[in-house]
Amino acid sequence: MPQETNISGKTDRKKRGKKGAGNMDEIAKTIFAPIYPVIAKNVLDRFGITGGVCIDIGSGPASLAIAIARQSDLRVIALDNSAEMQETAARNIADAGLAGRIELLCGDVHAIPLPDDSADLIISRGSMFFWDEIRTAFREIYRVLRPGGKTCIGGGFGNKELFASVSATMIKKYPEWEMKNKKRMSPENIDRFRTMLEEIGVPEYEIISGDGCFWIVLAKTTPGALAYGA
Ligand code: SAM
């Protein structure tokens, strides 16, 4: 696909932003629609965190944030650095009747505009593969996580069956998606994230992978941020 550039860069970036938000919204409401309630249930069942504050990082059209709010008493913060995605998310949240439960926050994972130790649960699906500096991003995620809280950051489709059906449809519609997704879920990419977590000194983490998913679970026992090391 040709790059859209002009002298100011402004108009085309805006066009791309609106188009990207529209595409993601369409996929989230069609092909991906069945995965969000299943992912939300998996996360809530696994961690047993059903109240407090949940941040969905790179929330896009807010499908996962909406599924989490519907299945729990968590107050959800839908964080995304794209204003266009947030406009789409605002419409979806209002249509779901959840405007009082889900707060939109335009911000970057590399500088999360929230205080230390403020989130009980941090989720993120399909976003970390786009982050420029994963060390900075994961330091920020660790900083805002409350002691006793958990994260579920990565990508996945809910279960083996959903992964199979969603992949089949995606590959038929977007053949290049197969290779892209394989790369994201590859052992080499998982190792890259594992090395990063070791380098920044995260004291406790788990990586869940297989059946088309790759999730990073961080736990935190002491308040505050990681010491600034490697
Ligand atoms: N999580 C949603 C889902 O699964 O339907 C959306 C996934 S979409 C593929 C990736 C999202 O991550 C986009 O909405 C994008 O704007 C957001 N994103 C990318 N880089 C980001 C960053 N540095 N900080 C915050 N959000 C980011």
Side-chain angles (χ1 to χ4, degrees):
M1 192 197 273
Q3 284 286 332
E4 294 169 271
T5 49
N6 67 4
I7 289 171
S8 76
K10 243 182 180 168
T11 316
D12 290 339
R13 225 182 1 253
K14 187 142 186 146
K15 253 197 238 160
R16 235 187 353 258
K18 276 210 189 304
K19 195 165 168 248
N23 285 348
M24 187 63 227
D25 192 39
E26 197 209 315
I27 293 174
K29 285 178 175 152
T30 54
I31 308 171
F32 284 8
I35 71 172
Y36 300 106
V38 178
I39 296 172
K41 185 173 184 330
N42 290 348
V43 171
L44 296 169
D45 286 354
R46 184 174 187 110
F47 301 126
I49 299 171
T50 56
V53 174
C54 168
I55 311 172
D56 180 7
I57 299 179
S59 48
S63 312
L64 186 55
I66 288 170
I68 289 279
R70 280 186 174 145
Q71 295 180 41
S72 72
D73 293 325
L74 283 151
R75 186 170 73 82
V76 184
I77 299 174
L79 176 93
D80 204 289
N81 68 349
S82 153
E84 290 81 10
M85 282 289 187
Q86 295 247 291
E87 275 173 31
T88 304
R91 278 195 298 276
N92 294 339
I93 292 165
D95 289 350
L98 288 166
R101 292 276 314 285
I102 306 175
E103 183 189 322
L104 287 163
L105 182 61
C106 199
D108 193 319
V109 67
H110 300 93
I112 300 175
L114 289 169
D116 294 1
D117 308 319
S118 55
D120 300 274
L121 180 64
I122 304 180
I123 54 169
S124 177
R125 183 201 164 275
S127 186
M128 75 176 183
F129 310 107
F130 297 95
W131 300 344
D132 294 328
E133 224 319 308
I134 53 173
R135 283 168 186 73
T136 308
F138 274 85
R139 279 181 192 287
E140 276 294 274
I141 289 167
Y142 188 86
R143 178 185 68 75
V144 298
L145 186 64
R146 188 169 281 162
K150 295 278 186 188
T151 75
C152 197
I153 315 275
F157 300 87
N159 59 39
K160 198 157 74 177
E161 293 73 28
L162 280 170
F163 173 54
S165 66
V166 166
S167 312
T169 313
M170 284 299 281
I171 293 165
K172 211 185 267 177
K173 209 167 171 194
Y174 311 98
E176 71 286 359
W177 182 85
E178 184 173 25
M179 193 47 73
K180 221 188 273 178
N181 195 55
K182 264 198 185 135
K183 261 194 193 158
R184 286 176 183 170
M185 304 295 164
S186 68
E188 294 75 25
N189 203 30
I190 295 176
D191 276 352
R192 184 169 75 92
F193 279 89
R194 195 190 302 280
T195 303
M196 173 277 297
L197 294 170
E198 294 290 336
E199 281 175 1
I200 66 172
V202 170
E204 208 181 316
Y205 70 89
E206 187 189 349
I207 292 182
I208 303 166
S209 65
D211 294 332
C213 83
F214 165 23
W215 299 109
I216 296 175
V217 178
L218 306 184
K220 184 168 173 181
T221 45
T222 46
L226 291 168
Y228 222 89

